[in-house]
Amino acid sequence: MNNKSIPFVDLHAQYLSIKNEIDDVIREVIEGSLFIRGPYVQKFEDLFAKMIGVKHCISCANGTDSLYIAMHALGVKPGDEVIAPAHSWISTTETITQAGGKVVFCDTDEDTFTIDPSQIESKITSRTVGIIPVHLYGQAADMTPIMEIARKHRLWVLEDCAQAHLARYNGQLVGTFGDAASFSFYPGKNLGAMGDAGAIVTNNAALAERMAMFARHGGLVKGDHQIEGINSRLDGLQAAILSVKLPHLALWTQSRQRVAEKYSLLLDEIPEIITPAVASRREHVWHLYVVRCDARDALSLHLKDNGVQTVINYPVALPFLPAYKRYEHKSEQFPNAHRNQSCILSLPVYPEMSDSMVEQVVRTIDLFVKT
């Protein structure tokens, strides 16, 4: 096949689309030497809180820190159990351990890859303190039953929104259901910085103060350390870049949805490929477009050989990683997560993808199926 190579994501194309805005604001930060905290960080926190529709945004160094900071402020202590999905990136669960808690895995819905609410209550014990639903790949978890279970058992809910900027559940933005919500602005995210960056949002003023204090060496005023904290700050350059990108996010999201719709329309004609399901009451923002194929590894190699980059997110479900060997989990405990780990494949999806690029990816897949 004589086609142009298609990257998994093209961050340079996004930069070129807003080059003047990015270059100007980077110059302003450098000329003002406004590298740590300062007006650009405050501006982004205000803008992001307004976009999500919450009262408080606490920026930090990265998305992993945002989860850890939130759990520390929520009061996780040794012996506490926190329920999390079996299918996610390890940041979701390693931070539970870092905060002092114990990870309790819950299987996922087979089609949406998000935590299965029907399995949650069986995981609750007298030591359970919270639930972390992950809005994986850009689709919201099933929040109505999750919140009902949390209220019934008096558990906090920390939403992991790292892949789901502007995703909605029943018309409501993710990040506005739980006690707090974590966001990542890793460069490849739907809203990405040019380096690491993260934030936590909440409507709880006391919780917001505890999180901000912990992230800034235990004090809100320099030199006034009320507690021992950590150093997790969003720097001025990243804040300025994110503030420039934020007004473009809605249009970029629409472009991702266009690409995903085109993929699904064409791939539905290939029965060997299971296209991503969008559950009822969800507005998917397509951080990743994840198909399922029994011949996943061979398909991935075929696509690579024909210039199409793919990724497996994630090749090993969390309970089966060496990091969690201590729990001695078995595949039958998490059948959906275990089954999906061997067949999932993420195809290229980003706002700048053209219809012809999508068509090329699908033609390449079709060629694999027919040979």
Side-chain angles (χ1 to χ4, degrees), residues 73-103:
L74 286 163
V76 175
K77 60 185 183 299
D80 287 348
E81 295 178 352
V82 179
I83 298 170
H87 189 129
S88 184
W89 178 242
I90 195 170
S91 291
T92 306
T93 50
E94 67 184 353
T95 48
I96 296 171
T97 306
Q98 291 162 3
K102 177 185 177 183
V103 182

Side-chain angles (χ1 to χ4, degrees), residues 178-250:
D179 297 85
S182 158
F183 284 86
S184 169
F185 307 117
Y186 181 81
K189 293 296 194 288
N190 291 26
L191 177 64
M194 291 183 172
D196 264 327
I200 319 113
V201 299
T202 184
N203 282 315
N204 184 320
L207 181 62
E209 183 173 284
R210 289 198 298 274
M211 290 190 292
M213 188 178 294
F214 183 64
R216 302 172 195 168
H217 290 295
L220 298 178
V221 178
K222 189 173 182 179
D224 181 18
H225 308 284
Q226 300 295 312
I227 60 173
E228 289 183 326
I230 63 171
N231 178 20
S232 183
R233 296 177 294 206
L234 175 64
D235 70 65
L237 278 168
Q238 302 306 336
I241 290 165
L242 288 168
S243 294
V244 166
K245 287 189 171 188
L246 198 61
H248 300 277
L249 181 58

